Structure formats: structure tokens, C-alpha cells
Amino acid sequence: MPSYPDISLLVTHYNRSKSLERLLSALEQLDLKFHEIVVSDDGSNAEHQAYITALQLRYEFSLVKAPINRGLGNNINKGQQYIKTPFTLYIQEDFVPKPLLAEKLTLSRQMILADASIDFVRYYGYYSYPYVKPAEHGFNEMVFKHWKLWQHYHKYYYYSDHPHLRRSNFLERFGKYAEGVNPERAEYKMMMQVLANKPKALIYHDINALLTQVNDDEEPSTFKRNFLRNNNHFLSVAARALYRYLRFNSELLAFKIKRKVYGRSLV
């Protein structure tokens, strides 16, 4: 029975209580034991609130509520501020862990305990990080190469809201998540805040081996991504490449200036 007394599980949730149940059930089947499970709800409707209350009796988690929907940034902030343990395992409600996660969580916990410079360890991604160097146990250290100007804009996605283990002082280290903006923008700004503060992080080499993201017909994703960002027409691809080059570099510079002025990046 893997037990993690120094790790709290933080799950962000909004109107997907069956998905939350699926995640909690899968973690129970893996027999993972955390100091505490914290579910941060973003003002779900009455039906889902009632279902969550019933789930509390089954899975014994702490529920951090919101009176209204305030966005993913606020939902992560209030959930993280509730955590009292040194480490936080962050997972959104639409993920399902695979059996290998238990082993790799144990090993990555050992790695982050042994190396105080590691800020977080990622377990999932839509694509592999472009620049890495081998670490241990199947993990790689991500290396941000700013001089690579045009190639691999994915290098900027060093941080992601996908499942990861992080130190619970994350908000003090990198600043709070942006609030009052859509989830993509909140994640983007945190990505820049992280890069501006010179992080060190690991990612598992097989980004699909530890968890699966499930968006089924019963509970589809509550967020729709921008069509233009995912349009593969050659003109759209070229326009995105130029836009990203200008935007990413200018915004990273702005966050670095904020860091010098204020001591760390602010939202």
C-alpha cells in the first residue's frame, strides 16, 4: 500500500461529478494513501453539488467550495492555499491514473525529496518536451533553451496544468494563477511566470503511460479550445508561428522584468 503522509491530492472540479468519482475510484483501486484529498469546486450546479456531497461520504475528502464560477485560476489558487503538506499532487477531475503511476509517484517523490532544486514533476502531456536530459527512473529533466528562437515553440510549455507533483509553496515561488481569464490564458500566464523564475522540473519520458484523459459523451470537457489555434491550414500554421514567436518572447521578457522589480513574477 503506497502511503504518502507528506503529499496531499488536489483535484479541481467543475460540473463533472461522475468524472470525479471515476478518478477517486481509480486512485482507491491503486490503494494510494495521501495525507488528505482536497477537491476544489468552482461553483458547480446544484445537481453536481449534491453528487459531490454523496461522494464525500464514500471517499472522505475535504471540499473547498466557491459561491459562483470564478474560473480555473481561482479554483487552483483556493485549493492550493488549503493544502498543508510539503507536497501537492495536482490532478484535474477528467484524468484516470494507470497502474504504473503508483510506482512512478513513489520514485519521483524520492527524487524531489533528494534534490531541493526540483520544483515539480510532470506525469502527462499532449506532446513530449523538446529539450531534455536524462534523469532517473524514466524521468527526464526539461531544459529551456531560450536561444532556440523559431524551432519548437513547445519549449515554452515547460509548465502545464496537466497532472504533476509539486512543492506546496508553488504559489509563493512562482506567483498565483491569473484570475478572471479563461483556462488557456491562466495556464499560459503561469507558464510564463514559471519560466521567468528559472525553474527546475522533470517529466516522465512516456507522457501517456501514467494517466489517461477522458472526455466522454456523458461528461464532455467544460472548456472549448480556440479553433484558430488548432486549425492546420498552411496559412494558419504560418500565422501562428510568427504570432507565437513575437508573443512568447515579448511576454517572457515582460515577466522577467516583473521578477527583477518585484522579486518574482506577478499575474
Side-chain angles (χ1 to χ4, degrees):
M1 177 193 301
S3 180
Y4 309 102
D6 54 358
I7 299 176
S8 293
L9 171 65
L10 172 60
V11 183
T12 47
H13 171 269
Y14 176 62
N15 282 347
R16 303 184 72 186
S17 52
K18 294 292 183 66
S19 298
L20 174 62
E21 180 179 29
R22 179 177 57 212
L23 168 60
L24 295 175
S25 175
L27 290 168
E28 183 179 66
Q29 290 175 30
L30 292 180
D31 209 15
L32 300 179
K33 303 297 181 184
F34 303 99
H35 172 79
E36 185 176 21
I37 297 176
V38 177
V39 175
S40 186
D41 181 67
D42 196 16
S44 295
N45 64 34
E47 175 186 353
H48 288 282
Q49 289 280 3
Y51 202 88
I52 293 174
T53 300
L55 288 178
Q56 270 191 290
L57 300 176
R58 172 70 177 81
Y59 293 102
E60 298 183 352
F61 55 82
S62 298
L63 179 61
V64 184
K65 297 182 178 181
I68 59 174
N69 177 252
R70 290 176 173 164
L72 182 62
N74 175 269
N75 204 24
I76 301 176
N77 285 337
K78 68 182 177 66
Q80 186 63 67
Q81 290 168 330
Y82 187 90
I83 300 294
K84 302 175 181 64
T85 51
F87 303 104
T88 301
L89 173 62
Y90 173 63
I91 305 179
Q92 292 184 13
E93 86 278 80
D94 58 346
F95 281 90
V96 180
K98 296 182 179 180
L100 187 59
L101 178 64
E103 174 189 337
K104 297 306 177 181
L105 177 59
T106 297
L107 293 170
S108 56
R109 173 183 171 273
Q110 293 172 1
M111 295 168 71
I112 202 170
L113 279 170
D115 186 347
S117 67
I118 297 176
D119 293 298
F120 55 94
V121 183
R122 292 178 53 184
Y123 301 123
Y124 182 89
Y126 288 145
Y127 39 76
S128 299
Y129 194 76
Y131 305 115
V132 298
K133 60 182 181 181
E136 299 178 278
H137 312 301
F139 289 91
N140 293 321
E141 179 183 346
M142 294 182 288
V143 180
F144 180 70
K145 296 185 176 183
H146 189 273
W147 58 270
K148 292 280 188 179
L149 298 179
W150 286 91
Q151 305 96 329
H152 295 302
Y153 70 87
H154 290 162
K155 69 185 179 181
Y156 287 93
Y157 291 88
Y158 191 101
Y159 169 82
S160 168
D161 290 341
H162 288 147
H164 61 274
L165 177 68
R166 65 193 188 195
R167 298 185 186 276
S168 295
N169 66 350
F170 188 87
L171 300 184
E172 289 75 33
R173 169 89 164 92
F174 298 111
K176 291 183 178 180
Y177 288 78
E179 300 187 12
V181 298
N182 70 38
E184 276 191 316
R185 185 60 182 165
E187 182 181 31
Y188 178 89
K189 294 191 74 173
M190 180 52 73
M191 172 186 77
M192 288 298 183
Q193 289 168 219
V194 168
L195 286 175
N197 283 275
K198 300 179 179 179
K200 179 178 180 179
L202 309 177
I203 188 169
Y204 192 61
H205 76 102
D206 186 344
I207 55 176
N208 297 307
L210 305 182
L211 298 107
T212 301
Q213 189 173 30
V214 180
N215 292 294
D216 54 25
D217 293 336
E218 183 180 9
E219 289 192 341
S221 174
T222 56
F223 176 70
K224 303 298 181 184
R225 294 192 177 272
N226 189 304
F227 168 75
L228 292 176
R229 199 184 95 167
N230 297 289
N231 185 353
N232 290 322
H233 188 277
F234 76 96
L235 291 177
S236 295
V237 171
R240 284 202 305 269
L242 177 59
Y243 173 73
R244 284 166 173 157
Y245 170 72
L246 296 173
R247 177 184 176 185
F248 286 9
N249 284 280
S250 62
E251 291 206 14
L252 181 56
L253 177 60
F255 277 105
K256 286 184 175 181
I257 292 172
K258 286 182 180 180
R259 179 178 180 273
K260 289 184 178 180
V261 173
Y262 297 106
R264 61 172 174 82
S265 293
L266 303 178
V267 296

